[in-house]
Amino acid sequence: MLDYLLRRLSLLLFMLFALTAFTFSLNYLFPGDLLTNFSGQLNTSFSQSQILEEKYRIDDNVVIQYGAFVSRLFKGDWGLSLSSGQTVSSHIAVLLPATLELCFYALVVAVLLGIPAGIITSAYYKKWPDKIISTLTLLGFSIPVFWLALLLIMVFCLGFGWFPMSGRIGLLYEIPAVTNFILLDIWLLDFPYGGQAFLDALHHLALPTIVLAMYPTTVLTRFTRDSMLNVLEQNYIKTARAKGLNRRQIILDHALRNALLPVIKQIGLQFSTLITLAMVTEVIFSWPGIGRWLIDSIYQRDYPAIQGGLLAVSMFVIFANMLADLTHSLLDPVSRNQSHGKV
């Protein structure tokens, strides 16, 4: 186990090095002045430029500049946004929780719907439940996220008026930021109108969560179905059938645990997919998350913000995948050997 953890730690360090090296190289790849790309400060005086050149080691070689860049990252100095003039780290601290909150609820919905649907389709293989769920899964998998979002807005927002079209909470409620997770902040602050604000926040979360959860739900359904069918063909399952166990006993007592082991790893991988899909969802629903901010920064050519957003999202995806891999290895010791060619 110790060797496995050391191998994963070395892989994590290499990935972080590759990510920071790529982000650092963007300062040279972006058009414009190199000092502006590093600092995010425009129209500086001569004396200010001298101070910034010393701070960012502009006159030194690239290796020393990279070392200073990594040192500033650890200190939380990620530069200034060209469009707002505020620090990039402060933007990320406010916006990243909104994206993570949306992705987390979408993943919960995907797990609660996808895994049971996959189990049902495998239990009724080639029967009507399997055919109906597989057809719906294929439809959900094929629908583009932006098309589904626009369709739901037209039907449930503009048509029936059941849900709001944009934002995290209504304008009637002013929630001071504590953790920047809106539901958690409402619960922590304990307002007199907290119950109404909580319901309003859930109301705003509904459609973005459904849109974002559609793709991972279909993937988990199909993956769970394939994994269950593979397990149900094993000899120990055939032996259980020969002993006279019914379908429920075979699935719950013998097949489900082994079938869910590869699904756990797939859940972690889906979180990185959710971060990508969240960018489109946030733009359509005007959700104030880091994906929408990153796309706005691209339109505004705010290079320090693009660097910071790319770095924050990528680091989170790397850590999420690493955590999912470690969790899967802890629950399935055989995978630790198989991943390195051992039997």
Side-chain angles (χ1 to χ4, degrees), residues 196-216:
Q196 297 175 4
F198 195 86
L199 290 177
D200 190 73
L202 285 178
H203 214 205
H204 281 75
L205 266 170
L207 288 188
T209 302
I210 292 172
V211 170
L212 197 55
M214 180 60 72
Y215 178 79

Side-chain angles (χ1 to χ4, degrees), residues 183-240:
L183 295 182
L184 186 59
D185 284 352
I186 294 172
W187 180 69
L188 289 176
L189 293 173
D190 193 22
F191 287 116
Y193 51 86
Q196 297 175 4
F198 195 86
L199 290 177
D200 190 73
L202 285 178
H203 214 205
H204 281 75
L205 266 170
L207 288 188
T209 302
I210 292 172
V211 170
L212 197 55
M214 180 60 72
Y215 178 79
T217 301
T218 59
V219 171
L220 288 180
T221 301
R222 299 170 74 172
F223 200 84
T224 305
R225 176 181 181 270
D226 293 342
S227 180
M228 282 292 295
L229 289 176
N230 184 43
V231 170
L232 291 175
E233 290 297 321
Q234 300 296 317
N235 289 331
Y236 71 94
I237 297 295
K238 295 177 181 177
T239 303

Side-chain angles (χ1 to χ4, degrees), residues 17 20 24 27-28 34 38 52-73 75:
F17 166 73
T20 53
F24 170 77
N27 291 299
Y28 287 91
L34 179 62
F38 267 114
L52 292 175
E53 288 178 359
E54 178 68 22
K55 177 181 178 181
Y56 293 98
R57 306 293 186 91
I58 299 297
D59 295 331
D60 294 321
N61 59 47
V62 176
V63 177
I64 294 179
Q65 288 181 18
Y66 171 74
F69 173 76
V70 175
S71 175
R72 290 195 303 276
L73 291 180
K75 294 177 181 176

Side-chain angles (χ1 to χ4, degrees), residues 152-165 203:
L152 292 182
I153 288 175
M154 290 177 61
V155 174
F156 295 106
C157 300
L158 300 178
F160 297 112
W162 291 350
F163 296 98
M165 290 177 57
H203 214 205

